[in-house]
Amino acid sequence: MPVLLAIAIYAIRLMRAPMDVRLKKRHAGPLTVTAGAVVLYLAWDWLRPDGISTVYFVGEFAGVGAAYLMTCTLVLATRLTWLEQWFGGLDRMYFWHKQYAMWSMLLLLLPHLTLHFFSGFDGSAKHYAGTPQAGQLVGMGHLLGAVSAIGLLVLVVISLGQVGRILRLPYERWLFLHRLTGLLLLSALVHGWFLDLVINGSTVLLAVYTTMAMVGMTAYAYDELVLRRREPQADYSIRRVSRPAPDIVDLTLTPSGSDRLPLAGGQFVYLRVGGRPTWREHPFSVAGVHPDGSVRLTIRALGRGTQKLYTDVREGLPATLNGPYGMFDHTLGGPRQIWIGGGIGIAPFLGWLTHPSGTLPRADLFYCAPAADAAPFLPELTAAAERLPGLRLHPTFSRSDGHLTVDRIRTVAGPLTADTHIFLCGPASMLEDLSRDLHRLGIPRDHVHAEHFAFR
């Protein structure tokens, strides 16, 4: 109860805070998941049958909690557009998707195995006593639990950044393995049905557990069978291809028919080139939208897929765009803003500047690159700064100036007050370092907006 009270107090303070309602909404999703976990524990503790030891109960609830968090990961993987507003954008949905998966393994699944072992009691023996198929059912339950535990743990481990860099697992293989999550969760849920005395000792808990399983499997089925047909999409063709740098390709796509996506600079879309037969796609930020519906995408060749796109893409090829997604929007901020784009992370800012909708705020834009010859969009940004009176451009080259720091930002752009909003897009290390230093300086977390590239 104290945890629920703390969540309620936090939610009330958040609702009363003087900030954009869109910033308030992005807290609702994580708070709801946390409150759901607390309510789940209270229900399990209140309705658990008599004669269940504390060690056994905690161990079994750890398994239920792991299944609950993995169910949340499946729901967040559906890319449902109406969910974005409650988590702060699809990139943040994938962030929480990954966090919930790690928490389910490290904080819940391992305690489930450990405490169940130390409880010294196999509930399945009591549950199936006198049943002709007792041995088979108990064995099947344990086998399903072992398969799901090992499988889910492997999927979480290979999704960690450092492990991924060591294994060098191709994205297509990683994605294929990742799509097994739903089947492994189903195995874990059936394991609980077979063996958990707490679940099988209460009709209400069994109903809750069954509902949770249905939600998870529905989300999984939607992701595998429906998403590709129901996701907002439109057909385009590639009208212009330029390569402003040895590893960057700049595309302009025009609608092939009457359908077009309602895009804005700063959002991102999933791009498939070559038509519909294959399901190979990548997310890219929208770097501009023209009045005729044409869309500009700037892409850096970082992985195998984008490297192949860089070399093979040509004018006239058909393409499909899915989306739009993302809530990286300067209208979330106030009249004083700092924009920081590192490398290809300048793309969403190009979308804001080259085809702005409405009035732009007073902004200092820091374009970070190793050197001037690695900043292909510098002339375009310079022209935008000359055209827009409220924009000040600050090219920052790490080879000569060092990496951008908060101290340098304050020196160049002036004091950072509590009402300043900072928008960040670029390499993960840059986002982490600047976000940490900005928080230490006293900038509210809701005033630091970052778009994350890593969806893997």
Side-chain angles (χ1 to χ4, degrees), residues 23-24 43 46 85 163 169 193 272 328 358 371 456:
L23 296 178
K24 297 179 182 181
W46 182 38
Q85 60 183 319
V163 176
L169 191 67
W193 269 315
R272 292 203 309 277
F328 195 67
R456 181 169 175 169

Side-chain angles (χ1 to χ4, degrees), residues 257-435:
S258 58
D259 293 337
R260 61 185 65 180
L261 297 180
L263 302 174
Q267 294 180 305
F268 64 88
V269 293
Y270 281 85
L271 168 70
R272 292 203 309 277
V273 176
R276 297 176 182 271
T278 60
W279 183 249
R280 300 179 65 180
E281 58 182 9
H282 294 273
F284 300 112
S285 293
V286 175
V289 181
H290 297 271
D292 64 354
S294 298
V295 182
R296 178 188 182 188
L297 303 177
T298 60
I299 301 167
R300 168 160 282 169
L302 295 172
R304 296 182 182 181
T306 49
Q307 288 173 355
K308 182 175 178 57
L309 178 66
Y310 176 87
T311 57
D312 296 349
V313 69
R314 63 183 185 276
E315 296 177 359
L317 283 178
T320 303
L321 296 182
N322 297 71
Y325 294 103
M327 296 179 64
F328 195 67
D329 186 352
H330 67 80
T331 63
L332 290 170
R336 174 75 175 101
Q337 299 184 11
I338 304 293
W339 300 350
I340 303 171
I344 199 62
I346 199 65
F349 302 105
L350 289 172
W352 293 351
L353 294 174
T354 54
H355 308 287
S357 56
T359 303
L360 289 175
R362 183 168 64 92
D364 287 88
L365 172 59
F366 291 83
Y367 181 20
C368 303
D373 58 2
F377 303 105
L378 186 56
E380 182 178 345
L381 293 172
T382 301
E386 294 174 352
R387 184 179 75 253
L388 302 169
L391 176 68
R392 295 196 300 173
L393 177 64
H394 311 289
T396 304
F397 305 128
S398 57
R399 291 175 187 168
S400 57
D401 306 326
H403 291 292
L404 184 65
T405 64
V406 171
D407 289 338
R408 176 173 174 80
I409 294 173
R410 290 193 294 177
T411 300
V412 174
L416 300 180
T417 58
D419 61 347
T420 303
H421 285 252
I422 297 93
F423 291 83
L424 305 163
C425 188
S429 58
M430 183 189 80
L431 301 187
E432 292 172 4
D433 292 343
L434 289 176
S435 296

Side-chain angles (χ1 to χ4, degrees), residues 160-204:
L160 299 176
Q162 293 181 345
V163 176
R165 286 189 288 271
I166 294 173
L167 295 178
R168 295 180 178 273
L169 191 67
Y171 177 77
E172 290 78 11
R173 294 182 183 177
W174 173 87
L175 181 61
F176 172 78
L177 294 174
H178 202 64
R179 291 171 65 179
L180 299 176
T181 302
L183 298 179
L184 293 172
L185 176 59
L186 179 61
S187 177
L189 291 167
V190 176
H191 159 80
W193 269 315
F194 277 7
L195 304 182
D196 194 331
L197 286 179
V198 180
I199 295 173
N200 288 281
S202 169
T203 303
V204 175

Side-chain angles (χ1 to χ4, degrees), residues 29 32 60 86 155 168 207 233 323 342 364:
T32 300
E60 291 305 290
W86 306 110
L155 290 182
R168 295 180 178 273
Q233 62 181 1
D364 287 88

